[in-house]
Amino acid sequence: MKPFAFVFPGQGSQSVGMLDAWGDHPAVVDTLREASDALGEDVGRLIKEGPKEALGLTTNTQPVMLVAGVAAWRAWRAEGGELPAAVAGHSLGEYSALVAAEVLTLADAAPLVRFRAAAMQEAVPVGVGAMAAILGMDAERVKAGCAEAQATFGAGSAEVVEAVNFNDPAQTVIAGSKAAVDKACEVLKAIGAKRALPLPVSAPFHSSLMKPAAERLREKLAGVALAVPRFPLINNIDVAVESDADRIRDALYRQAFGPVRWVECVQAMQARGIGTLIECGPGKVLAGMTKRIDASIQGAALYDPATLAEAKALLA
């Protein structure tokens, strides 16, 4: 079998009914039951019925995306799917990867990501922070444009804007205070960005404004048991593989207010001889990014029985 990796998506790929195509697959049913027990609510019903607005609340989105990724992973394994050469997750998706690599149990991960989501939402009031996707410009120019925009507010200003998600060579997400993000969008379009799209999110994720949330998360992580990964997991914040529990905790703490270095994560997998990345969970966002980062790597998706069969055939 060709060397391959599983990658897990983060917020933004959720949708009402996203697990319906699995039907009564035992691995998916068991995953939903386990997560529901851990959270004290019917997660399966929330995913199946929504409404969309409820699913879009950060405190719900993070647990349901965790569950959707783990459900697809467990279905893969239940159907005889081989272990990957490595795993990684985009932003929140790193927690799904940690469960797949058996670093975290789902019973521990589900309440942990809900806590993480609540801490992030409470760190910056709704409407104070913002995020935007900058298209058609390389990351270094985006960073320079953010610095130029922030400088317009003067030294000592509380306004902040930073590049936080390096998604592909021509797509970088920025985040920070709303006024600074709006100003950065103006600056970046003026210096050549094709588009600057405000994102419908409730907090400026991965920016330095998330530091208070990260401090709360660090305290929570101290009480969570972490095991040695069963296979390599490339983290977002350092593009590194860690096996020590304290180093994994520290990376998760810093990930909450640091950038998602996704381009480098994909390049690191390619450097390991991995030629296929399978997006494990709803949507095809990461599969699309893979092709734009390195056209030599195959990107595929696994989110229902049909795509599971396609992924098996791709790797045969």
Side-chain angles (χ1 to χ4, degrees):
M1 181 172 280
K2 305 167 188 173
F4 70 99
F6 269 116
V7 293
F8 295 85
Q11 287 185 237
S13 292
Q14 72 277 0
S15 62
V16 175
M18 61 186 173
L19 297 182
D20 286 357
W22 290 110
D24 294 325
H25 194 292
V28 177
V29 171
D30 288 348
T31 300
L32 288 169
R33 184 185 303 115
E34 189 178 339
S36 296
D37 289 346
L39 292 170
E41 67 174 273
D42 190 341
V43 177
R45 182 174 180 179
L46 174 62
I47 293 172
K48 187 175 184 63
E49 300 178 7
K52 180 181 178 181
E53 293 71 24
L55 214 60
L57 293 171
T58 295
T59 50
N60 287 333
T61 306
Q62 294 200 21
V64 300
M65 283 302 299
L66 168 79
V67 169
V70 172
W73 161 257
R74 289 181 173 178
W76 167 262
R77 293 292 289 148
E79 297 298 327
E82 297 286 338
L83 292 175
V87 291
H90 188 284
S91 185
L92 165 72
E94 190 163 305
Y95 287 81
S96 301
L98 287 161
V99 175
E102 300 178 15
V103 176
L104 271 172
T105 66
L106 180 59
D108 281 341
L112 179 61
V113 298
R114 172 153 281 172
F115 177 89
R116 176 182 184 266
M120 286 178 158
Q121 191 58 75
E122 291 160 13
V124 179
V126 175
V128 173
M131 299 182 77
I134 309 303
L135 308 181
M137 177 173 281
D138 71 78
E140 291 305 314
R141 292 191 74 198
V142 173
K143 288 193 283 187
C146 285
E148 181 182 333
Q150 188 166 322
T152 66
F153 294 96
S157 171
E159 303 293 344
V160 61
V161 59
E162 300 154 349
V164 297
N165 287 8
F166 300 97
N167 287 338
D168 70 39
Q171 185 195 118
T172 302
V173 174
I174 63 173
S177 55
K178 188 175 187 312
V181 170
D182 289 346
K183 181 63 177 178
C185 287
E186 290 177 21
V187 169
L188 291 164
K189 283 191 285 188
I191 63 172
K194 286 185 180 177
R195 301 183 74 184
L197 303 175
L199 299 179
V201 295
S202 55
F205 301 119
H206 297 290
S207 74
S208 57
L209 297 180
M210 290 288 104
K211 188 76 184 294
E215 295 299 336
R216 292 176 61 191
L217 179 62
R218 178 154 64 174
E219 292 178 13
K220 190 77 168 178
L221 283 164
V224 177
L226 301 180
V228 175
R230 188 174 180 186
F231 35 75
L233 189 158
I234 299 167
N235 68 29
N236 287 182
I237 191 68
D238 300 317
V239 195
V241 174
E242 302 289 1
S243 57
D244 177 77
D246 286 339
R247 291 178 69 88
I248 293 170
R249 287 189 184 94
D250 182 60
L252 290 173
Y253 154 71
R254 289 182 293 113
Q255 187 227 44
F257 64 95
V260 176
R261 297 163 61 184
W262 193 248
V263 171
E264 292 171 88
C265 287
V266 172
Q267 291 169 340
M269 286 183 269
Q270 196 274 343
R272 286 172 168 262
I274 294 168
T276 303
L277 300 191
I278 298 175
E279 182 170 0
C280 194
K284 300 178 180 179
V285 172
L286 300 184
M289 287 181 192
T290 297
K291 293 170 186 173
R292 292 191 293 275
I293 293 167
D294 188 335
S296 72
I297 304 175
Q298 288 185 291
L302 194 173
Y303 52 81
D304 61 13
T307 51
L308 191 155
E310 289 170 5
K312 274 190 172 183
L314 182 66
L315 297 171

